Amino acid sequence: MSCIDPERTARVLVIGGGIAGQAVCEHLGGRARQITLVCGEPHLPYDRVNLGRLLSQPSPAVLGDLLLRPQTWYADRGIDVRLGTWIEQLDPDGGTATTHTGEQLGFDYAVLCTGSVPLVPPLGNVDAAGVHVFRDPADCEQILEDAARARHAAVIGGGLLGLEAAFALASMSVPTTVVHLMDRLMERQLDAAGAALLAPAMEELGVEVLLEHRTDGLIPGPDGRVRGLKFAGGTRLDCDLVVIAVGIRPNIELARRIGLSIKRGVVVDDRLVTSRENVLAVGECAEHRGVVHGIVAPIREQAAIAARTIAGDPACYEGSTPSAKLKVMGVELFAAGEPESEHAVAVRNAETGSYRKLIVRDGRAAGTILLGDTRGSDLLLDAIRRAAAVEDPLQLLAEASQSSAGDLPDAARVCNCNGVCKGAIVDAIRTGGLGSTQEVVAVTRAGAGCGSCKPLVAELLSIERAGASEEPAYLCPCRKLTREQLAGVVRAHDLDSVSAIGAECGAGRECGACKPGLAYLVSEIRGNRHREERHARFINDRVHANIQNDGTFSVVPRMRGGVTSADELRRIADVVDKYEIPMVKVTGGQRIDLLGVRKEQLPAIWEELGMSSGHAYAKAVRTVKTCVGTDFCRFGLGNSIQLGVELEAAMEGLYTPHKVKSAVTGCPRNCAEAYVKDIGLVAVEGGWEVYVGGAAGSTVRKGDLLTVVSSAKAAKRVALAFLQHYRENAEYLERTYGYLERVGIEAVREAVLGEGQAELLERYRIAKAAADPDPWRERHAPATPKQFEELDTEAMIIGPPVGAAR
Amino acid sequence: MSALVAASTTWLRVGRVDDVPYLEGRSVHIGERRVAIFRLPDGWAAIDHACPHKAGPLADGMVADQCVTCPLHGQRFSLLTGERQDADGVGVRTYEVRERDGYLELCLEA
Ligand code: SRM
Ligand SMILES: Cc1cc2nc3c(=O)[nH]c(=O)nc-3n(C[C@H](O)[C@H](O)[C@H](O)COP(=O)(O)OP(=O)(O)OC[C@H]3O[C@@H](n4cnc5c(N)ncnc54)[C@H](O)[C@@H]3O)c2cc1C
Ligand code: SF4
Ligand code: FES
């Protein structure tokens, strides 16, 4: 029946970077020659389901936490992602789309994933300041801002979305009222009895519920900001923050412009194809057999079918069972399928306030409502999905409340977001020998969507592991050996190299990924008096430069404390000219980067620079940034340049579990950003503060104040003791911020400031004495043959091959 | 140089055995082609130098007993068969390589 020609499967244009657009990319996998993903919003696809986390107090999530996939995922798959780009026009015949900037994008198939827009009723003054919808990160930002000074908030709409918004506001300590038109909350998912229990549960969380209130208009204040709501019947509610959550409307603007068949959404057939053969639609914008879905699970199912349609591997989408879980802490609510029918049984427990109902139609499971006690929701959802025959509904309800993950049938779907069944998870655990939830999520993708099934995944894992606790972080995952176990092996047999560890216990021999970690481990334990093996080091550490995306390298000379001289700058300039280096750049670490250098040029460049390695490529001490301090600054309280230069000299050349960056700043204005460094020293009246575990990279964290000391010398001593403590105790690739989060500042204080300090400093001195302060000296004495070169390029022919006619 | 690779099975001397350290790789240009040669615990292996993903330099990769990991984005290939090992995907070509009189010889089938 398909008239889509698989031969043409080539360029796919995905319009809209929501959950639908991302799911389509995910399912297309390698089946398209080229994928272009056009995102109207200026962000990579994120998890809208968990948008509320951007509001959750005390520490709201940031958008980065919600991204469905990191940027590298798209890059790795060659997906051309256009952020902040709108498709204005589409020509299915010509196979071109026009963006808002007028750019033309070619396609063989276009997939509309344009989602929906919040429904805003035509009330008087809805555009007053302080009135918001709840749909994207920008809305959250504004709600957060207004909530900070709001005295009373109103949420219009008592559905799932409205309740989540109200809960978020209430947990920001803003008195909140939900205003609902109907006589019960969540009328689409709940029956009257369930809804009757939900309202008091919300009130207990500090959310007032006003039912059967029709909002007639908003009342603006003299400053243009909302001051209240006006209801039909004349009553009012004072409020200075309003969130409108009355529903959504499929975004069909583009579809309409190109004349696709539209009812409520863009009409699609069972292949997800619209009225034009090479245009598909998936997600909240699509209408299939008269249904427009507004939740994620069906969207993912549609995306899978759409990808198959495009790949010429036709499949049939037969619709999905709607289900909903309320993400309001303290109120457990799960509903699926139909809320009501003639045949239903319900169990109510007045004491615990729980309500469990199973709806049966023609002898088959058709719906469920679980409030206050959602045990067994997976089992019931599975029965509803299969329309399982139910002889005794009460018995099934009772079974469900006793069920554990182990009772689920293999075909039961555990992860609704990614459509992963129990069988697949158990299979992956068994065949892959998986030992931690994190691993199971990574391998199966179950739990990688909204995350609500993660507890179930963990339960399945624990059943498979017969109750044994989860596995720890392995330094060598192939052999399942932790850092501590491996350190034990090194000490017990007095091993001096990665090869010796491999020979002893097999670590590092299978995939090789842990070899750099093993190399660090053995060097650390032996105070840098180990046998150095270059094959155990990442390419960066073999040639002492950072590899770039085109296979060239970068050169960052050491510039202690960010201080340089005319002489150095002149030599750098000469090198750049002579070697025609494509880019010279001042780095974020207060030094200079020469980018785009070929491997074989490295030794000569190092020679002519006459500077030492800045270790910008290594898991090692990187930089110590400084500000101008007392020498020049009118506010300076400490000589930050001097201390920074000294500290860098004392730490440089030391390899560490992950990179270590430091800063010394002359006063709490913090111009060198010491609060957010692995080690940060801040001059204060009468001494120095020492901060550790700060970060301002992918994670932002203010360092913990380790101690305050009275002299620069003492500050340096504490910093070095902490460095050694971190070197000895952190997991490989664990930054100080992760380490401090894990063990806590108290434990670090005890280790670094307590009696052990002298010993830490002694071990630091031993390691430092044996460390190579400047690996760039290998330009004179290469560590391996052809360290910076290829083999002979003059290949030579060896006689005519046997039997070859030449 | 391209005349050399035109013959059907030709062994080419590509460099000295001593120039490829234990469990490391070195690359060699042969006409248009770039081949990466590795010294393994029990012998030699040669594959295309350019990673099929984004042409990462595989000779610079991390080598374990029988596989190499691309230094750019971590795809892993068997050094024996050239197959991708960490997931499904395009593999690399393998070549025969042998040791003669202190030199490495590579067999190129055109
Ligand atoms: C060159 C530089 C950018 C610049 O032009 O300014 C840079 C470049 C890279 N950074 Fe950075 N970072 C640079 C300063 C920073 C800073 C700012 C700073 O040092 O004050 C940060 C935030 C501070 C921090 O580290 O927490 C920073 C946080 C990161 C991160 C995130 C680390 C984290 O755990 O949050 C990575 C990724 C990683 O390490 O896994 C990273 C990784 C990288 C890598 C090495 C990516 C890679 O593996 O290839 C980049 C190398 C590019 C290349 O091709 O050479 N870079 N990077 C900066 C070199 C500073 C220097 O002089 O050594
Ligand atoms: C606060 C909140 C909580 C939720 N909770 C749940 C829940 O618990 N469970 C659940 O299953 N669902 C939940 N949902 C619903 C779920 O988030 C949506 O069903 C889902 O995100 C819709 O995905 P989509 O990709 O179809 O649409 P959207 O997410 O709307 O994505 C469409 C994207 O396309 C872009 N776009 C539109 N037109 C164009 C164009 N012409 N060119 C380029 N780009 C364009 C838009 O900017 C948008 O980014 C919740 C929603 C919200 C807001
Ligand atoms: S230099 Fe740093 S921030 Fe810039 S692209 Fe590379 S890793 Fe990302
Ligand atoms: S270039 Fe090899 S993994 Fe990306």
mmCIF file of all heavy atoms in Angstrom, chain B residues 51 53-56 70 72-75, ligand 4:
data_model
loop_
_atom_site.group_PDB
_atom_site.id
_atom_site.type_symbol
_atom_site.label_atom_id
_atom_site.label_comp_id
_atom_site.label_asym_id
_atom_site.label_seq_id
_atom_site.Cartn_x
_atom_site.Cartn_y
_atom_site.Cartn_z
ATOM 1 N N CYS B 51 39.142 7.351 10.671
ATOM 2 C CA CYS B 51 37.939 6.807 11.291
ATOM 3 C C CYS B 51 36.744 7.094 10.386
ATOM 4 O O CYS B 51 36.612 8.198 9.863
ATOM 5 C CB CYS B 51 37.747 7.480 12.648
ATOM 6 S SG CYS B 51 36.226 7.031 13.481
ATOM 7 N N HIS B 53 33.873 7.707 11.124
ATOM 8 C CA HIS B 53 32.954 8.703 11.675
ATOM 9 C C HIS B 53 33.295 10.103 11.165
ATOM 10 O O HIS B 53 32.584 10.641 10.327
ATOM 11 C CB HIS B 53 32.984 8.646 13.208
ATOM 12 C CG HIS B 53 32.158 9.687 13.855
ATOM 13 N ND1 HIS B 53 32.594 10.412 14.928
ATOM 14 C CD2 HIS B 53 30.925 10.154 13.570
ATOM 15 C CE1 HIS B 53 31.658 11.274 15.276
ATOM 16 N NE2 HIS B 53 30.631 11.128 14.464
ATOM 17 N N LYS B 54 34.397 10.671 11.645
ATOM 18 C CA LYS B 54 34.760 12.008 11.176
ATOM 19 C C LYS B 54 36.248 12.064 10.909
ATOM 20 O O LYS B 54 36.923 13.051 11.229
ATOM 21 C CB LYS B 54 34.382 13.062 12.220
ATOM 22 C CG LYS B 54 32.885 13.132 12.456
ATOM 23 C CD LYS B 54 32.388 14.538 12.554
ATOM 24 C CE LYS B 54 30.879 14.579 12.397
ATOM 25 N NZ LYS B 54 30.256 15.612 13.200
ATOM 26 N N ALA B 55 36.755 10.963 10.368
ATOM 27 C CA ALA B 55 38.146 10.906 9.930
ATOM 28 C C ALA B 55 39.154 11.120 11.057
ATOM 29 O O ALA B 55 40.265 11.588 10.824
ATOM 30 C CB ALA B 55 38.397 11.896 8.797
ATOM 31 N N GLY B 56 38.789 10.777 12.285
ATOM 32 C CA GLY B 56 39.756 10.846 13.382
ATOM 33 C C GLY B 56 40.959 9.959 13.080
ATOM 34 O O GLY B 56 40.833 8.933 12.415
ATOM 35 N N CYS B 70 39.068 5.336 18.715
ATOM 36 C CA CYS B 70 39.370 6.592 18.032
ATOM 37 C C CYS B 70 39.560 7.719 19.051
ATOM 38 O O CYS B 70 38.760 7.860 19.976
ATOM 39 C CB CYS B 70 38.239 6.945 17.072
ATOM 40 S SG CYS B 70 38.499 8.521 16.248
ATOM 41 N N LEU B 72 39.067 10.818 18.762
ATOM 42 C CA LEU B 72 38.160 11.972 18.711
ATOM 43 C C LEU B 72 36.841 11.742 19.431
ATOM 44 O O LEU B 72 36.466 12.500 20.308
ATOM 45 C CB LEU B 72 37.915 12.414 17.274
ATOM 46 C CG LEU B 72 39.114 13.046 16.566
ATOM 47 C CD1 LEU B 72 38.681 13.759 15.303
ATOM 48 C CD2 LEU B 72 39.860 14.023 17.456
ATOM 49 N N HIS B 73 36.112 10.706 19.067
ATOM 50 C CA HIS B 73 34.810 10.521 19.732
ATOM 51 C C HIS B 73 34.612 9.108 20.265
ATOM 52 O O HIS B 73 33.500 8.702 20.539
ATOM 53 C CB HIS B 73 33.660 10.884 18.791
ATOM 54 C CG HIS B 73 33.878 12.159 18.055
ATOM 55 N ND1 HIS B 73 34.390 12.197 16.789
ATOM 56 C CD2 HIS B 73 33.714 13.438 18.418
ATOM 57 C CE1 HIS B 73 34.516 13.455 16.395
ATOM 58 N NE2 HIS B 73 34.123 14.233 17.371
ATOM 59 N N GLY B 74 35.702 8.349 20.311
ATOM 60 C CA GLY B 74 35.635 7.087 21.044
ATOM 61 C C GLY B 74 34.992 5.899 20.359
ATOM 62 O O GLY B 74 34.618 4.948 21.036
ATOM 63 N N GLN B 75 34.834 5.893 19.042
ATOM 64 C CA GLN B 75 34.340 4.662 18.417
ATOM 65 C C GLN B 75 35.461 3.613 18.505
ATOM 66 O O GLN B 75 36.627 3.945 18.387
ATOM 67 C CB GLN B 75 33.974 4.903 16.952
ATOM 68 C CG GLN B 75 32.810 5.864 16.821
ATOM 69 C CD GLN B 75 32.177 5.834 15.431
ATOM 70 O OE1 GLN B 75 32.696 5.232 14.500
ATOM 71 N NE2 GLN B 75 31.049 6.495 15.298
HETATM 72 S S1 FES C 4 36.194 10.590 14.259
HETATM 73 FE FE1 FES C 4 36.451 8.669 15.137
HETATM 74 S S2 FES C 4 34.923 8.572 16.624
HETATM 75 FE FE2 FES C 4 34.537 10.513 15.707
#
